[in-house]
Amino acid sequence: MITIFFSKNDDPEVLATVKFGHRLDSSKYSIDTATRKFTGVEKDFYAIRSKAAQAVSNDTLFKFYENTSLNLVPIIKNGAKKVYVITGQTAPDEVLLGNDYLINFDKDNNIIKKTKLHNNLIPLGTGGIDAIKASSHQHLGETSPYITATDICAFKLWKGRTTWVISFIVSTGYVSAWHFSDEFLEILTQAEFEKIMKNK
């Protein structure tokens, strides 16, 4: 994994490069402070993130809530370019799901689609003194009937902050169950889920 720090002028340059192994061991990394130009891939990451930031600032699709921020996560994989927009939280006793978006780009880094992934912002209690073993939220309307990539991102990111063992994402036809201990995802039809619950 490579992280770069770059200047903020009109023609930005890389000021430092930090490399981690796949296990992200904080004691094993290398730092290169040689100033250099962006590589081709870094230029694309910079371009799509910059255009996503402009869209977030100017398009009324994107909502802002008090005591939160919108974080931009650019991803380029197998030629597909996209930026996830995820709501960041400040309250220590809750996990925020929703108010998230996906911006898709063409090969020339132009925005081709903006999608709202959840219809609202969903605050969930983390547990604390009175441990909460399970959490749940619903996907209704145009929201995906399955768990979203941003749900999984939030679960993995805030896992250590909660007492949750499992989280359910319920839609009209399906139930997605995220198991925290082994980070295992199970997707069941409503009928399968109801049958399991009856037999417990």
Side-chain angles (χ1 to χ4, degrees), residues 5-7 11-17 32-38:
F5 297 85
F6 53 87
S7 61
D11 186 20
E13 293 181 311
V14 175
L15 304 175
T17 306
D32 183 353
T33 56
T35 301
R36 62 176 176 81
K37 297 289 187 184
F38 283 144

Side-chain angles (χ1 to χ4, degrees), residues 19-30:
K19 293 183 180 180
F20 291 93
H22 287 290
R23 294 181 155 228
L24 292 178
D25 184 339
S26 61
S27 67
K28 296 177 182 177
Y29 63 90
S30 64

Side-chain angles (χ1 to χ4, degrees), residues 51-124:
K51 288 183 179 179
Q54 288 176 354
V56 166
S57 296
N58 299 325
D59 193 322
T60 56
L61 172 72
F62 302 93
K63 304 297 181 196
F64 292 87
Y65 292 84
E66 192 175 352
N67 299 320
T68 67
S69 60
L70 291 180
N71 300 316
L72 306 177
V73 184
I75 296 174
I76 300 174
K77 189 171 182 180
N78 299 328
K81 299 177 181 180
K82 54 192 172 185
V83 174
Y84 283 99
V85 182
I86 302 172
T87 296
Q89 64 200 64
T90 56
D93 57 347
E94 64 183 15
V95 171
L96 297 180
L97 301 175
N99 193 42
D100 45 5
Y101 310 85
L102 176 60
I103 305 174
N104 296 94
F105 295 79
D106 64 17
K107 62 182 178 61
D108 298 315
N109 301 327
N110 298 307
I111 294 174
I112 53 175
K113 187 177 180 185
K114 291 173 276 195
T115 308
K116 192 176 203 175
L117 300 177
H118 287 82
N119 288 325
N120 51 11
L121 184 65
I122 308 159
L124 298 173

